[in-house]
């Protein structure tokens, strides 16, 4: 058993991991930038180490300082959370070279899935259905035009190293292709350090459905159903739920088995998410995330399991604590991502939280690291909390969400809370009848929220 784990992250996800450690009797070490000295994760951990100035590159992404923090505190393993270094294969390599344990998959699996072209090729070979597109990278505009002509417009040009909704450009006709190709390449290079791009058919009315998988690193794996993350803004998830309102039990078991078999086939260790677009009852793989997702609590709610605990157990070399047949869905769960942003522009709104009151009651979980008087720093992601509700069925979960939102108070900064109040009044949200484009279109026609 690990005695001490360092958490290379901040905010709600650092708290999330600290909580799992405490329940498992494991000491936790928080790291923080100078801007986060008063942060809740620092207060809640058993120990803390300052790892640098505010900028992420100097602190939460500073590998030598993170390794030093392990050496100083005697932490044996590192949990990366999500974002920051969670999908950085070189970081995993350095951790292992120092005799420490990374709580997550191997560097090799992160590398394969971090490059979207290699990921797609790997998944295709493992029998996972993929979005039609170029066979590998596309190097010239001429080649891009030829492929798009053959495939038919619209197409999407994606940076192989892209992430977080960046490095993707849609071309609706031949007139757009030069600009889309150039922009995707230059964004790939400037943001992710790799200009390589590939082309996919742009699906026009899909939902975003992702399958949670878990491998033991020794060839066994299970799936934990799907999450539906179709409500998106700028290719970023806003509202997530499990199970999906449109997936049948037969579809769930079929795609779930395909995904579990695929990760078992490569000996994958720990939590992973295989993302699909779902259109006309077909699944199309887009990418795999080799880490815990922001929206993992909806899966935890409906299966009644702790995914972080399971990650730690697998990193310790223990077998999975459940077999596929034991994983039975109970009810419905929904998560809202609450950002410190002013709607409708979604402009970041750092500042001091004057008053914070978290909702409670049956089936309500609030994962947040804010508190009365907390100063939201301007340096990091604007996510300040996740509200998760769980109930027997979708209509009850929606009613519970509305009730929980009515109790939640965040004063002093602008937040995206008004968006969720407005969304719950929409028929499409109530019935679950929307595609990945619905929210963007709704925002255009509802500029007053
Ligand atoms: P990222 O790594 O930046 O999250 P993804 O490949 O996971 O990128 O895509 C993010 C989102 O972009 C998807 O959920 C979807 O909304 C949109 N998208 C990606 N590929 C396509 C496609 N081929 N057709 C339509 N939309 C797409």
């Amino acid at each position: 058993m690990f005695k001490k784990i360092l958490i290379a992250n901040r905010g709600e996800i650092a708290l999330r991991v600290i909580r799992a450690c405490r329940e498992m009797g494991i000491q936790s070490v928080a790291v923080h930038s100078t801007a986060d000295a008063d942060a809740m994760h620092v207060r809640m951990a058993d120990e803390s180490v300052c790892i640098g100035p505010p900028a992420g590159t100097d602190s939460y992404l500073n590998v030598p300082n993170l390794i030093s923090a392990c050496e100083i505190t005697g932490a044996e393993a590192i949990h990366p959370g999500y974002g920051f270094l969670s999908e950085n294969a070189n970081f995993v390599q350095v951790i292992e070279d120092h005799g420490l344990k990374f709580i997550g998959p191997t560097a090799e699996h992160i590398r394969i899935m971090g490059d979207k072209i290699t990921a797609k090729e790997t998944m295709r070979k493992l029998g996972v259905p993929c979005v039609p597109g170029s066979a590998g990278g596309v190097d010239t505009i001429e080649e891009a035009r030829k492929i798009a002509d053959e495939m038919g417009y619209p197409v999407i040009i994606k940076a192989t190293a892209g992430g977080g909704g960046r490095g993707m450009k849609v071309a609706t006709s031949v007139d757009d292709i030069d600009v889309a190709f150039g922009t995707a390449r230059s964004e790939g290079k400037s943001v992710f350090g790799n200009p390589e791009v590939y082309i996919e058919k742009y699906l026009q009315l899909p939902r975003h459905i992702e399958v949670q998988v878990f491998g033991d690193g020794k060839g066994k794996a299970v799936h934990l159903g799907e999450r539906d993350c179709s409500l998106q803004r700028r290719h970023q998830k806003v509202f997530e739920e499990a199970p999906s309102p449109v997936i049948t039990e037969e579809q769930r078991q079929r795609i779930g088995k395909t995904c579990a078999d695929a990760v078992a086939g490569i000996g994958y260790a720990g939590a992973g998410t295989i993302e699909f677009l779902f259109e006309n009852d077909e699944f199309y793989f887009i990418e795999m995330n080799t880490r815990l997702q922001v929206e993992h609590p909806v899966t935890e709610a409906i299966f009644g399991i702790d995914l972080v605990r399971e990650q730690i157990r697998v990193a310790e070399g223990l077998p999975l604590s459940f077999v596929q047949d034991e994983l039975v869905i109970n009810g419905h769960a929904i998560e809202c991502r609450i950002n410190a942003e002013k709607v409708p522009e979604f402009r970041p709104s750092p500042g001091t939280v004057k008053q914070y009151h978290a909702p409670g009651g049956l089936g309500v979980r609030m994962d947040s690291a804010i508190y009365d008087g907390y100063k939201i720093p301007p340096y990091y992601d604007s996510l300040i909390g996740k509200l998760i509700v769980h109930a027997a069925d979708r209509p009850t979960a929606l009613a519970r969400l509305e009730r929980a939102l009515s109790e939640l108070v965040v004063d002093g900064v602008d937040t995206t809370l008004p968006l969720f109040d407005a969304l719950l009044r929409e028929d499409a949200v109530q019935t679950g009848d929307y595609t990945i484009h619905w929210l963007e279109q709704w925002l255009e026609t509802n500029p007053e929220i």
Side-chain angles (χ1 to χ4, degrees), residues 116 120 131-132 154-156 158-159 161-168 170 192 198-209 229-230 232 234-237 275-277 279 284-289 291 436-437:
K116 290 182 177 184
K120 227 176 140 174
V131 185
V155 298
I156 183 164
K158 296 166 111 173
R166 309 220 34 204
M168 287 188 286
V170 179
F192 305 101
Y198 64 108
I199 303 188
E200 269 178 2
K201 182 84 190 144
Y202 184 69
L203 302 183
Q204 284 171 291
L205 296 169
R207 296 179 75 106
H208 175 113
I209 307 278
C229 315
S230 300
Q232 301 184 351
R234 303 209 168 148
H235 304 305
Q236 300 246 49
K237 299 158 192 167
E275 297 194 334
F276 294 93
L277 295 176
E279 193 175 73
Y284 300 97
F285 170 79
I286 46 173
E287 68 160 349
M288 176 166 182
N289 291 319
R291 57 171 164 80
I436 56 168
H437 307 298

